[in-house]
Amino acid sequence: MLEICYFFYKNITFGVTVFLYEAYASFSAQPAYNDWFLSLFNVFFSSLPVIALGVFDQDVSARFCYKFPLLYQEGVQNILFSWKRIIGWMFNGFISALAIFFICKESLKHQLFDPNGKTAGREIMGGLMYTCVVWVVNLQMALSISYFTWVQHIVIWGSIAFWYIFLMIYGAITPSFSTDAYMVFLEALAPAPSYWLTTLFVMIFALTPYFVYKSVQMRFFPKYHQMIQWIRYEGHSNDPEFVEMVRQRSIRPTTVGYTARRAASVRRSGRFHDQLHKDLVAF
Amino acid sequence: MPSNTASSSSAPAGSSKSKRPKYSKFTQQELPACKPILTPGWVILTFLVISVIFIPLGVVSLFASQDVVEIVDRYDNDCVPTPARANKVAYIQGGSDKSCNRTLVVPKKMKQPIYVYYQLENFYQNHRRYVKSRSDSQLRSVKDENQIDACKPEDDVNGRPIVPCGLIAWSLFNDTYALSKNNQPLTVNKRGIAWKSDREHKFGKNVFPKNFQEGNITGGGRLDANKSLSEQEDLIVWMRTAALPTFRKLYGKIESDLEKGDTIHVTLLNNYNTYSFDGKKKLVLSTTSWLGGKNDFLGIAYLTVGGICFFLALVFTIMYLVKPRRLGDPTYLSWNRVPGGGR
């Protein structure tokens, strides 16, 4: 579920930056990035973390699934893949892309970014924006998952490192092949402090809203698997009486499939309508 | 919920060995793992660290930008003589003398090198058709002189290939600026204004302009046919297409200091036609800092976000103190809570 939402998110982040740039290129279909950059985004710079996420991610370990069987209800009731979540992730991608594009554009205003007075052309703006996208998308992954093995570390930080390595290698190939990306990193981007400063700023700024949301949600509105994570963190999971108490309080009749999802959403909205009814009556 | 990936080993048929896959931590998803969760301590610490890093960075960036001295002078309207202002396009395309005198006053001491730029607005150098209209191979070597397909409509003149071909080269900016201070001419160094990789690898040392601007419509400046392309730095700078419709390009550098209050006289030739598309032309003199030109944006942005993060750290501290709860408490499960709560 998270993998699918994340996939929407990263492609929207990437695509919306391209779209926003179009608005400034009079919609002539001139892409913001070098063509090879465009093609390889989904191949190299953001694919491995998603695969690792899908294969390896565990929000709660296997032992806890045995202890707290109600976790299965999260899937049955479609809590993790509801429309709200999907739209939420897509919206996150959209505002990340807005942040990336406008900050890069403003920081390169008048294109004076280099202490040697040279101006920034399309390839420099493209390189800067792409760097920001790679960082934001991979850091977002790091923030979303709650299970870090060496696999996750390698794919996330490795994708980011690979972007820089790729820039250097591709930039060293003869310009008949690399066209405008020739030497763009080593000659233009890397020596300019404003490149590094802008990248750092964008990655923090684009991820702060999600970070705030997650902190609040984790603390005040945790989902069931997050509650189990808290229980584990606080050490109660080793206390069999506590675990038994949680299980007892979770017993309820359940169904599966469409009926279960329908019942869950009715319960969610029904509670809201009950409360609304109570408020109206009191008034 | 964990997903199982079983390794695909199996015992040979007929043996009494079990078919159970070999156990490994990797395949059974039991790798040593770090399982971080967003505890209150981490949240507050993160926001504090961000604000501690960002606020000084913002201050430093803002100071750097404030140190830069910049003079911007828009001249495209003023340099058209009053009687011609009703039809600027006809004026610019006509043959009259286009020289124009401007005066700039230096607001603060400017230390060398001082960079001279021309700024164009509403000029879409990033339009796809424009960007594609060049031939990189032709620019690099003489033997590829005839690789002009991408350059249409500025590819050849009566069958003879144009070098350099394409719309980008054809629209070369050709206003010139002669600066003087107190009646002493200020030398503007026009060498070294292009990126080194362009000069040495993209524009050939043996490629000379041919048949350039010989068509019916003149798009911009002319080129000295005796200078090889790698020495035509104005062309090289112009051909690095700009990212946005408002852009500056480097014209040259002044390698002497300018004092506060100095008057700079600029005799410019207002040749370039931006009137057909409502473009603007500006002359810019600017110093640089380690951060680049005059741009307060990064400094202000860093300060703002640093401040917001500090504020958020305070807010979260207050929230966690005011509403402490035992986080593993199952009474907070949605179905055990009062109606109206989340899930």
Side-chain angles (χ1 to χ4, degrees):
Chain A
M1 276 66 74
L2 179 61
E3 182 191 9
I4 299 172
C5 291
Y6 178 78
F7 212 90
F8 280 136
Y9 160 80
K10 86 169 154 87
N11 280 307
I12 287 181
T13 306
F14 184 66
V16 170
T17 55
V18 177
F19 176 76
L20 286 170
Y21 182 74
E22 286 304 313
Y24 286 85
S26 73
F27 289 106
S28 60
Q30 175 58 41
Y33 311 118
N34 178 285
D35 9 352
W36 277 104
F37 294 0
L38 280 176
S39 324
L40 293 176
F41 178 74
N42 274 322
V43 176
F44 286 147
F45 310 119
S46 57
S47 60
L48 287 178
V50 187
I51 297 174
L53 170 67
V55 171
F56 291 110
D57 190 37
Q58 291 179 18
D59 47 7
V60 168
S61 76
R63 277 194 309 132
F64 287 97
C65 290
Y66 286 126
K67 283 188 181 172
F68 301 103
L70 197 62
L71 278 169
Y72 286 97
Q73 282 295 306
E74 277 194 329
V76 168
Q77 291 177 18
N78 201 26
I79 292 174
L80 298 176
F81 200 45
S82 58
W83 271 112
K84 218 169 80 133
R85 285 200 95 185
I86 300 175
I87 305 278
W89 274 101
M90 292 168 83
F91 181 68
N92 188 13
F94 182 68
I95 56 172
S96 301
L98 279 179
I100 294 172
F101 178 77
F102 283 108
I103 292 172
C104 290
K105 175 173 120 41
E106 278 309 306
S107 112
L108 282 182
K109 194 159 83 156
H110 301 315
Q111 298 83 45
L112 298 187
F113 77 112
D114 176 63
N116 294 318
K118 300 208 176 49
T119 49
R122 228 184 60 248
E123 65 290 331
I124 288 172
M125 179 159 179
L128 172 64
M129 273 185 2
Y130 202 100
T131 308
C132 293
V133 171
V134 168
W135 270 103
V136 166
V137 150
N138 281 299
L139 279 183
Q140 174 73 64
M141 164 72 78
L143 270 186
S144 317
I145 62 179
S146 43
Y147 182 72
F148 276 92
T149 60
W150 57 261
V151 176
Q152 270 82 359
H153 281 300
I154 289 183
V155 297
I156 294 180
W157 314 122
S159 293
I160 300 176
F162 184 64
W163 162 242
Y164 288 109
I165 296 174
F166 172 80
L167 264 182
M168 287 193 266
I169 296 179
Y170 185 58
I173 303 177
T174 162
S176 41
F177 191 68
S178 58
T179 62
D180 51 9
Y182 182 68
M183 296 300 274
V184 71
F185 181 69
L186 286 175
E187 189 190 29
L189 291 173
S194 72
Y195 167 73
W196 301 101
L197 275 183
T198 310
T199 311
L200 173 66
F201 180 76
V202 170
M203 63 170 112
I204 303 289
F205 183 71
L207 292 171
T208 306
Y210 177 79
F211 188 73
V212 169
Y213 162 78
K214 191 156 183 219
S215 312
V216 171
Q217 189 233 2
M218 191 73 181
R219 174 77 179 69
F220 296 104
F221 312 105
K223 300 210 172 19
Y224 193 55
H225 66 272
Q226 288 165 328
M227 300 230 45
I228 307 296
Q229 289 173 345
W230 280 117
I231 291 175
R232 172 181 50 86
Y233 174 76
E234 290 178 342
H236 295 301
S237 52
N238 294 324
D239 175 7
E241 282 189 21
F242 184 86
V243 170
E244 192 51 36
M245 185 231 336
V246 173
R247 288 169 75 151
Q248 285 302 321
R249 295 180 87 157
S250 313
I251 288 178
R252 60 195 13 83
T254 56
T255 51
V256 291
Y258 177 74
T259 326
R261 289 203 294 280
R262 190 82 199 105
S265 68
V266 164
R267 219 182 0 254
R268 289 196 278 271
S269 60
R271 201 151 276 142
F272 173 71
H273 286 127
D274 279 344
Q275 183 64 23
L276 192 63
H277 190 251
K278 281 195 192 125
D279 290 339
L280 287 173
V281 166
F283 183 71
Chain B
M1 265 133 321
S3 51
N4 267 329
T5 52
S7 63
S8 59
S9 66
S10 58
S15 86
S16 56
K17 273 206 197 151
S18 115
K19 288 204 173 150
R20 189 188 185 129
K22 228 162 79 153
Y23 171 82
S24 89
K25 277 195 172 172
F26 181 78
T27 53
Q28 291 302 319
Q29 304 247 1
E30 285 169 15
L31 291 167
C34 177
K35 299 181 193 172
I37 57 174
L38 276 180
T39 58
W42 273 110
V43 173
I44 297 174
L45 186 67
T46 310
F47 281 128
L48 278 179
V49 164
I50 294 177
S51 65
V52 159
I53 295 178
F54 272 34
I55 293 179
L57 275 178
V59 169
V60 158
S61 307
L62 203 52
F63 275 141
S65 166
Q66 296 288 342
D67 273 343
V68 169
V69 188
E70 191 186 66
I71 308 174
V72 180
D73 176 45
R74 183 179 171 191
Y75 63 86
D76 58 320
N77 273 337
D78 295 340
C79 276
V80 177
T82 338
R85 286 204 192 154
N87 191 348
K88 295 192 188 124
V89 177
Y91 166 75
I92 199 79
Q93 287 176 343
S96 56
D97 173 35
K98 306 275 185 350
S99 69
C100 173
N101 292 315
R102 305 288 295 164
T103 315
L104 310 169
V105 178
V106 178
K108 230 168 87 167
K109 179 174 162 104
M110 292 170 88
K111 289 220 202 77
Q112 64 101 4
I114 301 169
Y115 296 93
V116 181
Y117 301 93
Y118 51 91
Q119 179 174 325
L120 286 164
E121 296 188 17
N122 205 27
F123 190 118
Y124 285 80
Q125 265 209 331
N126 56 10
H127 192 287
R128 185 178 175 77
R129 249 204 102 190
Y130 185 90
V131 169
K132 285 194 131 9
S133 181
R134 64 191 285 159
S135 167
D136 287 330
S137 44
Q138 190 201 57
L139 294 172
R140 252 195 307 278
S141 82
V142 187
K143 61 178 170 57
D144 288 329
E145 196 177 83
N146 291 313
Q147 304 264 2
I148 52 176
D149 293 330
C151 291
K152 288 185 169 30
E154 287 299 320
D155 49 351
D156 64 12
V157 154
N158 297 332
R160 290 169 290 139
I162 301 177
V163 176
C165 71
L167 285 171
I168 309 181
W170 174 80
S171 60
L172 174 65
F173 187 75
N174 62 350
D175 282 4
T176 54
Y177 311 105
L179 287 87
S180 68
K181 175 177 92 161
N182 305 333
N183 293 325
Q184 295 289 341
L186 269 178
T187 15
V188 176
N189 183 356
K190 289 179 70 71
R191 296 209 74 91
I193 56 177
W195 290 100
K196 186 153 160 277
S197 62
D198 280 352
R199 267 204 318 270
E200 298 189 0
H201 296 273
K202 291 199 199 153
F203 289 79
K205 293 195 178 55
N206 300 321
V207 185
F208 291 85
K210 262 160 78 165
N211 309 320
F212 190 66
Q213 300 284 14
E214 284 177 16
N216 290 332
I217 312 177
T218 310
R222 294 178 187 280
L223 290 175
D224 182 351
N226 297 322
K227 266 164 89 169
S228 78
L229 287 193
S230 69
E231 290 169 42
Q232 308 258 19
E233 300 214 30
D234 278 326
L235 177 71
I236 299 176
V237 165
W238 180 255
M239 289 194 75
R240 262 232 169 182
T241 46
L244 297 166
T246 301
F247 60 89
R248 285 183 192 173
K249 285 190 184 285
L250 187 54
Y251 179 80
K253 335 185 236 241
I254 301 174
E255 275 151 350
S256 54
D257 290 352
L258 291 176
E259 303 299 327
K260 174 170 167 167
D262 276 351
T263 325
I264 314 278
H265 288 282
V266 184
T267 308
L268 59 91
L269 286 179
N270 183 22
N271 293 321
Y272 200 66
N273 179 9
T274 50
Y275 305 99
S276 311
F277 53 86
D278 281 333
K280 295 189 199 156
K281 291 192 282 189
K282 297 183 185 172
L283 174 63
V284 179
L285 269 74
S286 174
T287 54
T288 54
S289 66
W290 59 268
L291 202 53
K294 190 167 201 69
N295 191 355
D296 292 340
F297 174 74
L298 264 188
I300 295 178
Y302 265 102
L303 280 174
T304 312
V305 173
I308 291 179
C309 284
F310 185 72
F311 171 71
L312 282 173
L314 286 177
V315 165
F316 272 97
T317 315
I318 295 173
M319 263 201 319
Y320 292 138
L321 288 175
V322 161
K323 282 194 92 179
R325 43 178 277 187
R326 204 177 70 170
L327 290 148
D329 189 343
T331 52
Y332 283 94
L333 289 168
S334 59
W335 42 81
N336 294 333
R337 267 193 280 173
V338 293
R343 54 215 111 260

